[in-house]
């Protein structure tokens, strides 16, 4: 869950989500409600506590946090993503969205009670990834790192196996998703150990139903697809679209494993 070495593609890829913000909002998986309930309990958080959210996207985690009464300051790089998040938070006056790279943002006021990063911390400069949350947390405050990992059950629909041919055809990097039972809890890395004491690490298997069109929109929004470049990503999406059309554009059940790791500021 983190690396001290910087990825040269990080700056380019992390800005790609803003190009299709509405598709991102519609198709991005949201961690189960139990994860947010556990975050409140494990972090000993209460309504009114002040929270920084790192890279809020369109508010997939911001809304559940605000619904639990937290005063969230969400920091989002992408202007289009941030605009959608603000729209979704209009009923929560204690929540705000700041459009700014997290690395450049300088908060005002007293230290915060928690920093929350959902599917986002790996996009942050590795030299600031844990140091900056530490700097802006009160003594005993918590860092909560959460997200969703794709999984593929052994009894999954054949589509999820056959589509790997399309990944291989365009030279997609990485391996196919493993069965959910092989995705265990994720822990804070060594570079966070001097700053945060890990107090909990939990997992949350869940599933999402996608229409064929929404699955394609989700696929188009993923950083791995962006990393292919324009020509190969166009070919990849066309291959998957053709495969879905030959199957009659079925509904798809996607499997995920959510994770939550909570560390307390030393």
């Amino acid at each position: 869950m983190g690396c001290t070495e910087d990825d040269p593609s990080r700056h380019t890829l992390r800005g790609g989500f803003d190009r299709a913000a509405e598709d991102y909002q519609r198709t991005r998986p949201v961690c189960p409600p139990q994860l947010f309930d556990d975050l409140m309990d494990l972090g000993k958080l209460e309504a009114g506590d002040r929270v920084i959210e790192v890279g809020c996207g369109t508010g997939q985690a911001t809304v559940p946090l605000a619904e639990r009464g937290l005063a969230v300051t969400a920091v989002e790089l992408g202007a289009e993503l941030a605009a959608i998040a603000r729209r979704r938070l209009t009923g929560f006056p204690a929540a705000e969205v700041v459009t700014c790279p997290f690395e450049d943002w300088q908060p005002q006021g007293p230290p915060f009670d928690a920093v929350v990063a959902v599917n986002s911390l790996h996009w942050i400069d590795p030299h600031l990834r844990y140091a900056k949350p530490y700097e802006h947390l009160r003594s005993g405050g918590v860092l909560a790192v959460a997200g969703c990992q794709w999984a593929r059950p052994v009894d999954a629909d054949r589509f999820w196996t056959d589509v790997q041919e399309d990944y291989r055809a365009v030279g997609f990097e990485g391996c196919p998703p493993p069965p959910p039972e092989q995705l265990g809890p994720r822990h804070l890395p060594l570079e966070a150990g001097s700053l945060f004491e890990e107090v909990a690490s939990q997992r949350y298997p869940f599933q999402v139903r996608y229409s064929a069109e929404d699955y394609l929109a989700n696929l188009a929004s993923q950083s791995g697809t962006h990393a292919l470049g324009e020509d190969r990503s166009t070919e990849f999406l066309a291959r998957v679209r053709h495969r879905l059309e030959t199957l009659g554009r079925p509904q798809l059940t996607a499997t995920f494993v959510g994770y939550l790791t909570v560390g307390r500021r030393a």
Side-chain angles (χ1 to χ4, degrees), residues 151 153-154 178-184 203 257:
V154 293
E181 58 271 18
Q182 291 185 15
L183 291 169
R203 60 190 297 279
V257 175

Side-chain angles (χ1 to χ4, degrees), residues 60-108:
Q60 281 85 353
T62 326
V63 172
L65 294 172
E67 287 173 340
R68 286 159 176 78
L70 297 172
V72 185
T73 299
V75 185
E76 171 52 49
L77 172 71
E80 297 299 322
L81 297 169
I84 296 174
R86 288 191 192 96
R87 185 180 74 208
R88 300 182 64 210
L89 291 164
T90 53
F92 301 98
E96 64 171 333
V97 180
V98 178
T99 306
C100 182
F102 179 68
E103 294 89 338
D104 297 340
W105 178 63
Q106 295 301 322
Q108 305 297 318

Side-chain angles (χ1 to χ4, degrees), residues 76-252:
E76 171 52 49
L77 172 71
E80 297 299 322
L81 297 169
I84 296 174
R86 288 191 192 96
R87 185 180 74 208
R88 300 182 64 210
L89 291 164
T90 53
F92 301 98
E96 64 171 333
V97 180
V98 178
T99 306
C100 182
F102 179 68
E103 294 89 338
D104 297 340
W105 178 63
Q106 295 301 322
Q108 305 297 318
F112 287 77
D113 300 294
V115 175
V116 177
V118 181
N119 289 317
S120 62
L121 199 61
H122 57 289
W123 294 114
I124 303 304
D125 183 328
H127 300 292
L128 296 175
R129 198 170 286 165
Y130 299 99
K132 189 159 187 173
Y134 178 89
E135 176 186 354
H136 295 297
L137 281 170
R138 63 169 173 80
S139 177
V142 295
L143 170 67
V145 184
C148 306
Q149 299 171 276
W150 286 79
R152 184 179 60 172
V154 293
D155 60 350
D157 186 89
R158 183 174 172 179
F159 167 80
W160 298 107
T161 299
D162 292 349
V163 76
Q164 298 305 316
E165 296 178 11
D166 302 318
Y167 281 86
R168 289 190 292 269
V170 296
F172 219 103
E173 294 186 5
C175 300
E181 58 271 18
Q182 291 185 15
L183 291 169
R186 303 184 71 179
H187 299 284
L188 293 177
L190 291 176
E191 61 263 30
S194 63
L195 304 176
F196 296 96
E197 177 188 1
E198 185 174 308
V199 297
S201 183
Q202 302 189 174
R203 60 190 297 279
Y204 305 82
F206 68 103
Q207 293 183 320
V208 175
R209 289 281 284 174
Y210 283 111
S211 68
E213 199 59 38
D214 279 354
Y215 173 68
L216 284 164
N218 176 280
L219 206 55
S221 76
Q222 293 178 19
S223 60
T225 304
H226 296 162
L228 293 172
E230 185 174 353
D231 291 342
R232 285 197 298 157
S233 63
T234 298
E235 178 190 351
F236 173 59
L237 294 170
R239 284 175 173 273
V240 178
R241 180 181 293 278
H242 175 72
R243 185 177 299 279
L244 288 167
E245 288 173 349
T246 61
L247 294 172
R249 302 176 65 81
Q251 291 278 314
L252 299 170

